[in-house]
Amino acid sequence: MLSLFSKSIRINSGLKCLIAQYSVYPPSYIEPLIKKEALLDLEKIGAKKEYKYVPVKAAYGDHTNSLFDDPVLNKFICVITEEGRKEKARSLMTQTLELVKITQLKKYYSASNEEKKNIECDPLKIFVAAVENCKPILDIRPLQRGGVTYQVPVPISQYRQRHLAMKWLMLTAIERDKKNIRFHEQMAKELLDAYYNTGRVIRKKQELHKQCEANKSYAHYRWG
């Protein structure tokens, strides 16, 4: 009886895996175009008529064509969300971006005409550039070869790079909370530091790259 029960469990789990591989939509359905810029691009190349009668998948509930929407910011809001309080996380990031803009505007108005050209005042662009600057290229993975564990440098995917950058920004901002500084103030400082390639997150990325450089002689163990 026990063996039959275990076999039925394996069969059911296998069927679930097969079902999960299939989509609700046939392969002929295309992804929805959320941004208006995508439609304008289709008009420029003259391909808008070709998409007129093609079936389109339904858009997700969180998709929007707002100019203030950004997929990187939405992902970061999900990263800092705790206990399902996403509205609280979104409010904190709104306050953070407001503080970033106020800080940059103060710097802009006190700068000379030549310096004003190099001062970015768009907080969303500053946020995206800060996350991009914090992305590591390599990571260290412990691999065991011949009974010995080596710290092997390995390249990481774009998704993993973005995840580490956002995680480091969040953890560094939380550590500053011990000094009785509010979260949006901490995060604004970290984003501005990362935008100018300074700060603790940038140093953490550089230290990781130095560690990878020191262990580059073990890189061949990845294929062992």
Side-chain angles (χ1 to χ4, degrees):
M1 290 294 294
L2 183 61
S3 60
L4 291 175
F5 180 72
S6 60
K7 287 181 180 179
S8 63
I9 292 177
R10 288 196 296 270
I11 293 172
N12 290 334
S13 61
L15 289 174
K16 289 180 180 179
C17 293
L18 289 174
I19 293 172
Q21 292 178 1
Y22 291 93
S23 173
V24 178
Y25 300 97
S28 59
Y29 280 60
I30 63 173
E31 296 293 334
L33 299 177
I34 308 302
K35 299 297 182 181
K36 294 181 180 179
E37 293 80 2
L39 293 175
L40 295 176
D41 293 339
L42 288 178
E43 289 182 357
K44 291 179 181 178
I45 62 177
K48 188 175 180 180
K49 294 182 179 179
E50 299 177 3
Y51 284 84
K52 190 172 183 179
Y53 300 104
V54 178
V56 182
K57 297 179 182 178
Y60 288 101
D62 57 347
H63 283 173
T64 176
N65 59 358
S66 173
L67 297 175
F68 302 99
D69 180 70
D70 186 79
V72 182
L73 179 61
N74 293 337
K75 181 63 179 178
F76 190 71
I77 289 173
C78 294
V79 170
I80 67 174
T81 299
E82 292 184 354
E83 299 179 356
R85 302 170 63 186
K86 194 170 184 179
E87 289 299 325
K88 179 65 175 178
R90 185 178 287 108
S91 175
L92 289 173
M93 284 309 301
T94 301
Q95 297 178 51
T96 299
L97 297 179
E98 288 178 356
L99 187 55
V100 168
K101 185 162 187 176
I102 291 172
T103 305
Q104 292 298 94
L105 285 176
K106 288 180 180 179
K107 186 184 297 184
Y108 179 84
Y109 289 127
S110 62
S112 61
N113 292 331
E114 296 181 357
E115 294 175 345
K116 287 181 179 180
K117 299 178 182 178
N118 300 323
I119 298 177
E120 179 61 60
C121 295
D122 189 345
L124 191 56
K125 292 182 179 179
I126 292 174
F127 169 78
V128 173
V131 173
E132 193 68 26
N133 291 339
C134 294
K135 287 182 179 179
I137 301 175
L138 300 171
D139 195 7
I140 291 291
R141 302 283 175 82
L143 294 178
Q144 191 172 8
R145 295 292 183 270
V148 181
T149 301
Y150 299 93
Q151 300 297 326
V152 181
V154 295
I156 52 180
S157 63
Q158 291 286 336
Y159 178 83
R160 178 65 177 170
Q161 292 176 18
R162 186 183 66 178
H163 174 74
L164 287 177
M166 292 182 175
K167 182 180 178 181
W168 290 344
L169 284 169
M170 180 191 67
L171 293 178
T172 307
I174 292 175
E175 289 174 2
R176 285 193 178 185
D177 192 31
K178 299 177 182 178
K179 301 179 182 179
N180 297 323
I181 304 176
R182 301 183 69 179
F183 180 83
H184 67 276
E185 297 175 353
Q186 307 154 14
M187 185 59 67
K189 292 178 182 177
E190 290 297 333
L191 290 177
L192 287 172
D193 288 344
Y195 176 73
Y196 292 107
N197 273 314
T198 59
R200 293 190 291 175
V201 180
I202 298 298
R203 289 197 297 270
K204 186 177 182 65
K205 181 188 78 169
Q206 293 172 349
E207 290 173 1
L208 177 61
H209 286 171
K210 288 180 181 178
Q211 189 177 2
C212 293
E213 179 69 20
N215 294 321
K216 65 180 181 181
S217 59
Y218 304 139
H220 63 281
Y221 285 120
R222 290 175 52 217
W223 300 278

